[in-house]
């Protein structure tokens, strides 16, 4: 959320009962504790379970083929005959009804307004206060709010949220329940409503910026006056501009203008944030204070030339992500998202597409703070021939306008948001009325936010070039098919093309198949139900990364790309989706479900991270049984050339060249033969100087466990997470890349075990048991901080190897 409310006095939160104090002019509290949950339809006998929000009721499993078995033809993937589809939505039990309830204690309601804000509720939410239904919101991904003032009374008030997920409503794992935060906002009757401000920066130069703030004020009578005063705070918190004016209410919005000298501009490299602090007074009494966080930056999309951020040519080096957090499911957690962004930024990513739904507010806030550009996208279906028959298509006509309005009003103050997408591969792109639906959505976005362009991810390139759909968008976005970019550029009026979704290369971390062939547009499957980490396999509609790199490099009109996907996700296990149980999670990710980077990470890093060099060797070098067999070695590197050595013997120099797409971006030794020992690569710069080297060794007998945490300390807020990577090493500390033993975790002290995963798309072990099998020699365990400072102790044990232990201070 872009608005940052600042509490004036503390609010008491007790288990089960939330006490609201009334002395503050505005008070927001996030309702995490004191909830109860039950699955199914509840009755007087229902045993309610105590839960903490955010909560995903389905992530606890168990996995089962029958949870989401479907007999369908996936038209979108070019299928014409029905087959048994397994694991499409993660094989988890999210379908059905569930209810949550809590009690809020409100001492006095006179002159106050109470609003519940739901960041997202999956799905078909009915919100009841003291038994009275006050709101219904079907789309599980969108944020919505409900004014509950008339239904609350002094004392204890019951809040209940009933939810229902239908089958065949999604193409991926949606999660279930109150999986995002719920907030209670307590204000004076006269107040700035939820998402009630809009900041734009009409003029941005190095020397000055003009800032315009639009403010809605609720609760005033016609003709009533209010004083509105705003201070603009710099990133360091200094007041750099201010303004106040008397506002006479006649149903309109108020606005104020500011001049900020020498603005600190927002960009991925320097994500500087300002705050507009607005105070509303009536009859000399302050009735509301409201913070709007924003950034100052300029964006221009220039035909033929590209996208310019603050005047600087910038290509989107983006990834698409679904919203689930692997073993944590859909239950949002800020530090899990932060971990994802840290990994992506180190890879050189500067943008994320929230495919294909509204994000959690925490993601948008983190992108603002950490410097990642966002393309926010609401829908996977419009009204025509929805891909998921019980999904958003059934609501589109009645709800699209409300859903778009909430999305844009919620996020339009975020400097990270650089573009809106109105849909993904919607069948309307070729169906009747598609251009009308497009125009309705695009016009609505423009009305709510005239400062950013609109795109849409299109895959039916022939149809959309022909029927006016692609030409109607601000920015045409194409999913895959880079071979058609040139034709699209020639035909379309925009003279800019976005790779709204690219690659969909498939690979399983640390798994390699021989021999290697580059199989583009080919459904390659293997008996082990894994895809090869040589990054040579894709699906019939998709390709390996190299051609997309070439498009970015060679075409000025290509403004960049969003790779499918940054992280593996639950569901869509292509190419193992047809009667291929137990596969139930994707292999499209550059990073796996356990948040562990695959080799592909380093291919993108070698192109996209301009600050720190990349030199990465694949495959691993533990190939008992392959002695004497051809075992190709690839090196993903930012250096132009390198020499490879096996046990000291040179295998020759390779230099990037234009002979094939792969030779442009990878160094490949296709004829190397396996012998145990050491593989070393020496990288050369343009002038032929040896500038870096890297080596891997064949590991010996497994000897001890190794633990690597992603954090040095945690916050004692009960919500902070640490990710431990667990591996096995030989006695000389060489990691054993093939080990698959069961490891057991124990967390005590100032925190608790939260979840585990290993990135294996076929693994059915529950995420919540404190044990996991290693996959390709690694697994991840996640622990959560408690609320009391101290030391969190993590210990891992396994048969046949020495244990390992790590301590993390919790402050
Ligand atoms: C695209 C689609 C994505 C995902 C991807 C897999 O066509 O937009 O949601 O299904 O294919 O390659």
């Amino acid at each position: 959320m872009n608005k940052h409310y600042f509490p004036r006095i503390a609010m008491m939160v007790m288990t089960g009962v939330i006490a609201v104090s009334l002395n503050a002019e505005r008070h927001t509290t996030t309702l995490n504790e004191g909830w109860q949950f039950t699955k199914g339809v509840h009755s007087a006998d229902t045993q309610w379970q105590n839960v903490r929000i955010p909560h995903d009721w389905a992530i606890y499993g168990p996995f089962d083929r029958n949870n989401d078995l479907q007999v369908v033809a996936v038209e979108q993937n070019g299928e014409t005959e029905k087959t048994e589809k397994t694991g499409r939505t993660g094989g988890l039990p999210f379908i059905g009804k569930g209810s949550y309830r809590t009690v809020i204690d409100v001492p006095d309601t006179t002159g106050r307004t109470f609003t519940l804000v739901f960041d997202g509720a999956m799905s078909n939410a009915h919100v009841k206060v003291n038994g009275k239904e006050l709101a219904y919101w079907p789309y599980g991904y969108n944020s919505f709010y409900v004014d509950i003032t008339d239904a609350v009374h002094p004392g204890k008030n019951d809040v209940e949220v009933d939810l229902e997920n239908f089958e065949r409503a999604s193409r991926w794992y949606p999660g279930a329940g109150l999986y995002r935060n719920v907030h209670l906002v307590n204000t004076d009757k006269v107040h700035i409503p939820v998402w009630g401000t809009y900041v734009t920066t009409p003029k941005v130069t190095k020397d000055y910026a003009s800032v315009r703030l639009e403010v809605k004020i609720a609760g005033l009578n016609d003709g009533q006056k209010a004083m509105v005063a705003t201070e603009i705070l710099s990133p360091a918190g200094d007041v750099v501009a201010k303004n106040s004016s008397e506002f006479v209410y006649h149903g309109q919005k108020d606005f104020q203008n500011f001049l900020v000298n020498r603005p600190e501009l927002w960009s991925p490299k320097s994500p500087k944030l300002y705050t507009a602090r607005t105070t509303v007074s009536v009859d000399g009494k302050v009735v509301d204070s409201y913070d709007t966080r924003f950034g100052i930056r300029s964006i221009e999309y220039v035909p033929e030339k590209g996208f310019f951020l603050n005047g600087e040519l910038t290509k989107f080096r983006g990834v698409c992500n679904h919203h689930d957090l692997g073993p944590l499911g859909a239950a949002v957690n800020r530090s899990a998202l932060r971990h994802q962004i840290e990994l992506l930024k180190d890879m050189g990513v500067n943008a994320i597409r929230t495919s294909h739904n509204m994000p959690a507010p925490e993601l948008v806030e983190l992108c603002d703070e950490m410097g990642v550009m966002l393309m926010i996208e609401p829908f996977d279906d419009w009204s025509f021939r929805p891909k998921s028959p019980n999904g958003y298509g059934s609501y589109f006509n009645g709800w699209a306008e409300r859903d778009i309005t909430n999305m844009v009003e919620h996020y339009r103050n975020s400097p990270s948001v650089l573009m809106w997408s109105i849909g993904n591969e919607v069948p309307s792109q070729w169906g009747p009325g598609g251009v009308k639906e497009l125009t309705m959505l695009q016009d609505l976005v423009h009305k709510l936010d005239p400062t950013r362009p609109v795109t849409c991810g299109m895959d039916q390139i022939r149809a959309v070039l022909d029927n006016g759909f692609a030409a109607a968008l601000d920015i045409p976005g194409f999913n895959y098919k880079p071979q058609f970019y040139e034709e699209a550029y020639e035909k379309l009026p925009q003279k800019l093309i976005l790779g709204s979704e690219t690659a969909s290369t498939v690979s399983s971390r640390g798994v390699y198949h021989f021999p290697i062939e580059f199989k583009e547009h080919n459904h390659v499957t293997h008996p082990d139900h894994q895809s090869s980490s040589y990054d040579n396999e894709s699906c019939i509609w998709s390709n390996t990364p190299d051609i997309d790199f070439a498009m970015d490099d060679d075409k000025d009109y290509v403004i960049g790309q969003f790779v499918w996907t940054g992280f593996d996700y639950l569901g869509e296990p292509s190419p193992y989706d047809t009667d291929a149980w137990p596969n139930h999670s994707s292999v499209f990710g550059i990073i796996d479900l356990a948040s562990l980077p695959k080799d592909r990470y380093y291919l993108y890093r070698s192109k996209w991270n301009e600050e720190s060099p990349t030199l990465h060797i694949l495959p691993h070098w533990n190939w008992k049984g392959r002695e004497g067999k051809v075992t190709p070695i690839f090196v993903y590197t930012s250096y132009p050339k390198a020499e490879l050595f096996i046990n000291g013997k040179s295998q020759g120099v390779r230099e990037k060249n234009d002979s094939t797409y792969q030779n442009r971006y990878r160094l490949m030794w296709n004829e190397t033969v396996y012998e145990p020992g050491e593989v070393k690569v020496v990288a050369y710069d343009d002038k032929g100087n040896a500038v870096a080297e890297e080596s891997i060794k064949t590991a010996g007998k497994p000897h001890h466990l190794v633990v690597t945490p992603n954090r040095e300390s945690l916050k004692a807020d009960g919500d902070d997470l640490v990710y431990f990577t667990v591996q096995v090493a030989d006695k000389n500390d060489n990691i054993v890349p093939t080990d698959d033993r069961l490891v057991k975790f124990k967390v005590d002290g100032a925190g608790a075990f939260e979840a585990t995963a290993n990135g294996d798309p076929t693994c059915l072990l529950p995420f919540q048991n404190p044990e996991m099998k290693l996959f390709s020699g690694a697994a991840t365990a996640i622990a959560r901080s408690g609320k009391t400072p101290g030391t969190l102790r993590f210990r891992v044990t396994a048969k046949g190897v020495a244990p390992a232990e790590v301590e993390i201070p919790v402050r």
Side-chain angles (χ1 to χ4, degrees):
M1 205 164 12
N2 201 25
K3 292 104 225 161
H4 181 77
Y5 309 103
F6 53 106
R8 287 296 158 100
I9 70 161
M11 175 182 279
M12 274 188 350
V13 179
M14 298 174 277
T15 312
V17 177
I18 291 125
V20 180
S21 160
L22 291 182
N23 299 332
E25 58 261 24
R26 162 179 293 269
H27 203 111
T28 301
T29 202
T30 301
L31 308 179
N32 296 124
E33 316 289 343
W35 287 88
Q36 294 188 314
F37 163 71
T38 186
K39 213 170 159 184
V41 182
H42 58 86
S43 67
D45 307 327
T46 297
Q47 295 287 312
W48 293 76
Q49 175 198 343
N50 292 329
V51 294
R52 186 176 190 275
I53 304 298
H55 175 250
D56 176 355
W57 86 56
I59 195 63
Y60 303 92
F63 291 107
D64 195 310
R65 177 179 203 274
N66 293 318
N67 278 335
D68 57 358
L69 182 66
Q70 299 176 3
V71 182
V72 287
V74 183
E75 284 180 16
Q76 183 212 0
N77 297 355
E79 296 178 3
T80 48
E81 277 177 31
K82 289 185 177 180
T83 49
E84 274 200 350
K85 291 286 178 310
T86 45
R88 273 193 92 189
T89 51
L92 286 162
F94 65 87
I95 294 164
K97 294 190 181 191
S99 295
Y100 293 80
R101 68 182 191 188
T102 192
V103 175
I104 53 174
D105 191 353
V106 179
D108 184 6
T109 54
T110 319
R112 303 298 294 178
T113 299
F114 298 89
T115 308
L116 282 175
V117 182
F118 292 85
D119 289 349
M122 190 63 72
S123 61
N124 292 293
H126 294 267
V127 181
K128 295 174 191 160
V129 175
N130 295 324
K132 188 172 169 212
E133 177 156 336
L134 298 182
Y136 164 61
W137 202 279
Y139 199 33
Y141 293 105
N142 211 354
S143 302
F144 63 97
Y145 57 90
V146 42
D147 184 339
I148 61 169
T149 311
D150 292 344
V152 291
H153 48 67
K156 291 190 170 58
N157 294 267
D158 296 327
V159 175
E160 181 177 320
V161 185
D162 300 327
L163 301 158
E164 180 166 15
N165 295 322
F166 301 117
E167 59 171 4
R168 296 193 61 197
S170 179
R171 295 190 300 114
W172 56 87
Y173 176 67
L178 289 182
Y179 74 116
R180 290 183 179 165
N181 279 304
V182 182
H183 315 272
L184 176 64
V185 185
N186 165 8
T187 61
D188 191 274
K189 180 177 160 274
V190 177
H191 63 279
I192 298 174
V194 177
W195 315 323
T197 59
Y198 179 33
V199 178
T200 52
T201 50
K203 177 81 182 166
V204 177
T205 72
K206 268 202 227 98
D207 298 329
Y208 67 89
S210 165
V211 175
R212 184 180 194 275
L213 171 76
E214 202 173 274
V215 192
K216 283 185 201 161
I217 300 177
L220 290 173
N221 300 321
D222 201 33
Q224 197 178 351
K225 290 180 177 172
M227 272 305 290
V228 181
T230 300
E231 292 180 340
I232 304 293
L233 306 182
S234 72
D238 302 323
V239 177
V240 290
K242 56 181 171 183
N243 229 326
S244 60
S245 45
E246 191 177 63
F247 175 57
V248 189
Y249 179 77
H250 292 287
Q252 83 286 28
K253 293 168 200 160
D254 192 17
F255 71 94
Q256 296 180 322
N257 285 309
F258 307 87
L259 189 72
V260 174
N261 287 313
R262 290 175 301 285
E264 297 178 63
L265 303 185
W266 186 95
S267 72
K269 283 192 189 129
S270 175
K272 299 288 184 190
L273 295 170
Y274 285 78
T275 301
R277 179 159 291 172
T278 305
T279 306
V280 180
S281 310
V282 175
D283 299 332
K285 183 176 167 260
V286 173
V287 292
D288 199 9
S289 303
Y290 189 96
D291 278 7
T292 308
R293 202 169 68 165
F294 69 99
I296 300 177
R297 58 38 163 190
S298 70
I299 57 174
E300 291 157 291
Y301 292 81
V302 183
E304 315 272 7
K305 281 281 176 213
F307 164 63
F308 292 80
L309 177 67
N310 300 326
E312 203 178 300
L313 182 65
T314 305
K315 293 235 180 195
F316 290 102
R317 294 168 166 179
V319 293
C320 307
N321 272 343
H322 273 315
H323 68 306
D324 79 60
L325 295 167
L328 304 173
V332 71
N333 177 281
R334 189 183 292 269
S335 72
L337 288 168
R338 183 180 292 113
H339 181 48
Q340 288 199 332
I341 295 175
E342 279 166 359
L343 284 168
L344 292 173
K345 283 206 70 141
D346 179 60
M347 187 177 108
V349 161
N350 66 10
I352 292 174
R353 170 188 186 218
T354 70
S355 45
H356 310 294
N357 43 256
M358 295 83 173
E362 289 82 356
L363 178 72
V364 183
E365 287 168 12
L366 285 165
C367 288
D368 284 346
E369 291 162 14
M370 296 170 76
V372 177
M373 300 184 283
L374 274 173
M375 181 214 283
I376 295 188
E377 176 174 84
F379 307 131
D380 193 44
D381 272 318
W382 296 350
S383 72
F384 176 70
R385 274 183 89 108
K387 289 170 257 174
S388 305
N390 301 323
Y392 195 74
S394 343
Y395 304 105
F396 183 85
N397 288 330
W399 284 88
E401 204 176 318
R402 279 178 276 184
D403 276 317
I404 288 278
T405 301
N406 280 20
M407 174 185 86
V408 177
E409 288 192 341
H410 195 171
Y411 296 121
R412 61 188 176 175
N413 292 323
S414 283
S416 59
V417 181
L418 270 293
M419 199 188 299
W420 306 102
S421 163
I422 47 176
N424 173 60
E425 298 184 358
V426 291
S428 301
Q429 69 192 293
W430 53 267
V435 179
K436 272 209 185 97
E437 284 182 342
L438 178 158
T439 308
M440 181 276 282
L441 295 170
Q442 181 166 266
D443 287 353
L444 178 60
V445 174
H446 287 163
K447 190 176 123 210
L448 296 162
D449 176 25
T451 72
R452 297 170 176 93
V454 170
T455 187
C456 181
M458 300 173 286
D459 63 327
Q460 300 301 316
I461 199 154
R462 284 267 149 265
V464 297
L465 289 182
D466 198 49
N467 66 9
F469 193 96
L473 288 161
D474 295 337
I475 306 278
F478 290 105
N479 288 10
Y480 312 102
K481 312 209 175 52
Q483 63 275 25
F484 291 105
Y485 283 5
E486 189 68 30
E487 182 187 338
Y489 159 74
E490 293 292 343
K491 284 193 174 152
L492 292 173
Q494 295 91 341
K495 300 297 170 216
L496 288 176
I497 301 275
L498 171 68
S500 41
E501 193 175 309
T502 61
S504 265
T505 303
V506 284
S507 67
S508 306
R509 179 179 50 79
V511 177
Y512 306 87
H513 295 115
F514 304 95
I516 306 175
E517 267 176 82
F518 275 83
K519 292 191 174 160
E520 314 273 345
H521 317 302
N522 204 337
H523 242 67
V524 191
T525 56
H526 302 277
D528 63 358
H529 285 217
Q530 307 289 350
S531 297
S532 181
S533 249
Y534 276 109
D535 301 322
N536 58 327
E537 295 174 1
S538 62
C539 298
I540 41 168
W541 57 88
S542 62
N543 54 269
T544 59
D546 316 81
I547 179 166
D548 301 313
F549 287 145
M551 290 297 139
D552 281 348
D553 284 347
D554 299 346
K555 316 275 182 196
D556 288 346
Y557 63 78
V558 173
I559 61 174
Q561 58 168 314
F562 290 85
V563 182
W564 192 266
T565 46
F567 281 76
D568 274 335
Y569 50 95
L570 291 160
E572 207 176 28
S574 313
Y576 300 100
D577 61 348
T578 305
D579 201 8
W581 189 257
N583 289 64
H584 58 277
S585 59
S586 90
V587 284
F588 292 116
I590 296 169
I591 301 169
D592 76 11
L593 203 71
S595 294
L596 299 171
K598 303 177 186 174
D599 291 306
R600 221 171 341 134
Y601 182 87
Y602 301 95
L603 181 57
Y604 284 99
R605 192 182 190 282
S606 71
K607 269 298 284 169
W608 286 356
N609 185 331
E610 287 168 344
E611 266 127 48
S612 116
T614 299
L615 186 58
H616 174 78
I617 304 170
L618 65 143
H620 63 71
W621 210 238
N622 262 63
W623 292 107
K624 202 168 184 331
R626 283 196 70 79
E627 290 81 1
K629 292 194 182 144
V630 170
T631 306
I633 297 175
F634 290 4
V635 168
Y636 294 160
T637 180
S638 45
Y639 297 107
K641 58 181 164 182
E643 184 168 5
L644 188 80
F645 300 86
I646 298 179
N647 291 329
K649 191 165 168 253
S650 174
Q651 306 295 310
V653 174
R654 296 284 182 278
E655 181 163 10
K656 291 179 190 166
N657 62 75
D658 287 347
S659 60
T660 64
Y661 285 121
Q662 277 78 31
N663 281 324
R664 247 178 112 168
Y665 300 107
R666 317 178 188 205
L667 301 180
M668 298 184 289
W669 286 260
N670 288 317
E671 307 305 330
T672 41
V673 170
Y674 178 65
E675 62 181 50
E678 186 196 50
V679 175
K680 185 170 94 176
V681 64
V682 177
Y684 300 111
D685 66 12
D686 285 333
K687 299 188 190 81
N689 303 315
V691 283
E693 66 175 62
E694 197 57 60
S695 63
I696 51 172
K697 283 193 184 126
T698 308
K701 229 173 117 230
H703 177 264
H704 60 275
L705 289 158
V706 178
V707 179
T708 316
N710 73 325
R711 310 273 305 268
E712 281 169 8
S713 67
L714 294 180
K715 270 191 259 138
D717 62 0
D719 223 13
D720 213 5
L721 302 180
V722 50
Y723 284 62
F724 298 103
T725 305
V726 174
Q727 292 165 295
V728 170
D730 69 9
K731 64 178 188 328
N732 298 318
D733 288 334
N734 296 307
I735 296 297
V736 186
T738 48
D739 205 276
D740 63 355
R741 79 192 61 219
L742 185 80
V743 294
K744 298 192 174 198
F745 317 115
K746 190 159 189 293
V747 179
D748 53 32
F753 173 79
E754 179 72 20
T756 174
N758 63 11
D760 175 358
T762 69
C763 178
L764 297 177
L765 293 173
F767 296 128
Q768 297 82 17
N769 280 3
E771 57 179 44
M772 187 46 68
K773 269 178 73 108
L774 300 184
F775 173 64
S776 297
T780 297
I782 306 170
R784 180 187 287 269
S785 66
K787 288 195 169 165
T788 315
T791 302
L792 182 153
R793 268 180 307 279
F794 175 78
R795 186 175 159 83
V796 53
T797 54
K799 276 196 187 142
V801 286
E805 201 170 302
V806 169
E807 293 192 343
I808 306 283
V810 178
R811 300 184 174 119

